[in-house]
C-alpha cells in the first residue's frame, strides 16, 4: 500500500521517510566540511550585526491627520490632536506599547519621541506606527521620523 503506521502529521509515505534519511545523511556529510573561523575584530562586528537581524519582517507606517487647509506633510506632522474617529482608528491599529519598556521593533523611535505608539506583531511581521499626534518630540524630529516611513496613511478631517 506504500503507507507506514506513523500517526497523522508524520510522514505518510515511505518515499518521504527516505527523503528524511537522505537529508540527515547530507547534514552529516556537511558537518565534516565545517571550517573554523579565525577570530578578528571584523568577525566580531559581523556577528554582532547578525545578532541584530530580526527573525520577522519589519515595517514602519506613518499615520498623519490632515486638518482643513493643510496640504503639506510637514504641517500635518505638527498636529497634536485628531478627531474622535481618528483616535478610534488609532486604537484599532495594534497594541499601544510604552516605548520606555518596549523590546520589539521600534522603527527608529526613541523613548524620548513618544510615551506610547501603536504596534502590531505576529509570527511573520512587526509593524510600528509613527503617529505625530502621539509624539512628544519636537516638530523637526517628528518630520524626520514620518519621512522615514515608506507607507503613510493620511486621515483627512475635512
Amino acid at each position: 500500500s506504500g503507507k507506514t503506521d506513523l500517526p497523522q502529521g508524520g510522514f505518510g509515505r515511505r518515499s518521504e521517510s527516505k527523503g528524511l534519511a537522505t537529508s540527515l545523511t547530507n547534514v552529516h556529510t556537511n558537518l565534516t566540511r565545517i571550517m573554523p573561523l579565525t577570530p578578528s575584530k571584523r568577525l566580531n562586528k559581523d556577528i554582532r550585526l547578525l545578532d541584530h537581524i530580526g527573525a520577522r519582517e519589519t515595517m514602519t507606517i506613518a499615520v498623519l491627520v490632515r486638518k482643513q487647509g493643510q496640504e503639506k506633510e510637514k504641517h500635518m506632522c505638527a498636529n497634536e490632536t485628531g478627531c474622535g474617529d481618528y483616535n478610534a482608528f488609532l486604537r484599532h491599529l495594534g497594541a499601544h506599547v510604552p516605548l520606555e519598556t518596549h523590546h520589539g521593533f521600534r522603527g527608529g523611535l526613541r523613548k524620548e519621541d513618544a510615551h506610547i505608539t501603536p504596534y502590531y506583531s505576529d509570527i511573520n511581521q512587526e509593524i510600528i506606527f509613527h503617529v505625530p499626534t502621539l509624539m512628544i518630540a519636537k516638530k523637526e524630529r517628528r518630520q524626520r521620523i514620518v519621512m522615514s516611513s515608506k507607507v503613510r496613511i493620511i486621515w483627512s478631517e475635512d
Side-chain angles (χ1 to χ4, degrees), residues 3-156:
K3 295 280 183 185
T4 63
D5 293 327
L6 292 174
Q8 190 167 1
F11 295 103
R13 297 190 185 117
R14 288 189 181 161
S15 63
E16 291 175 347
S17 60
K18 287 180 185 177
L20 176 62
T22 303
S23 293
L24 291 175
T25 301
N26 289 339
V27 167
H28 176 69
T29 303
N30 288 334
L31 287 176
T32 62
R33 295 184 193 159
I34 293 176
M35 296 173 36
L37 298 172
T38 305
S40 68
K41 287 182 181 180
R42 174 66 187 202
L43 177 62
N44 288 340
K45 180 181 176 186
D46 288 345
I47 290 173
R48 278 194 304 277
L49 289 172
L50 274 174
D51 283 343
H52 285 84
I53 296 174
R56 299 184 274 186
E57 293 291 324
T58 57
M59 178 186 290
T60 59
I61 299 175
V63 183
L64 300 135
V65 62
R66 180 185 169 275
K67 298 189 181 243
Q68 189 170 4
Q70 290 182 327
E71 297 299 325
K72 297 186 179 195
E73 288 181 4
K74 69 178 184 177
H75 297 126
M76 295 176 217
C77 288
N79 291 333
E80 296 181 359
T81 62
C83 67
D85 288 341
Y86 165 78
N87 291 322
F89 171 71
L90 291 180
R91 284 192 296 276
H92 288 91
L93 292 176
H96 281 61
V97 296
L99 286 175
E100 187 157 349
T101 58
H102 178 62
H103 296 291
F105 175 64
R106 289 175 169 244
L109 287 175
R110 300 183 290 218
K111 63 183 178 182
E112 300 84 24
D113 295 327
H115 295 295
I116 60 167
T117 196
Y119 170 81
Y120 171 82
S121 69
D122 63 22
I123 194 167
N124 296 314
Q125 61 191 347
E126 291 182 89
I127 303 170
I128 195 147
F129 295 87
H130 294 162
V131 184
T133 57
L134 297 177
M135 291 182 187
I136 56 175
K138 294 185 178 181
K139 187 171 85 169
E140 295 79 21
R141 172 84 179 136
R142 291 181 195 183
Q143 284 179 293
R144 278 196 308 276
I145 293 167
V146 166
M147 297 312 284
S148 72
S149 297
K150 291 184 174 44
V151 177
R152 296 182 190 99
I153 298 171
I154 298 178
W155 181 280
S156 185

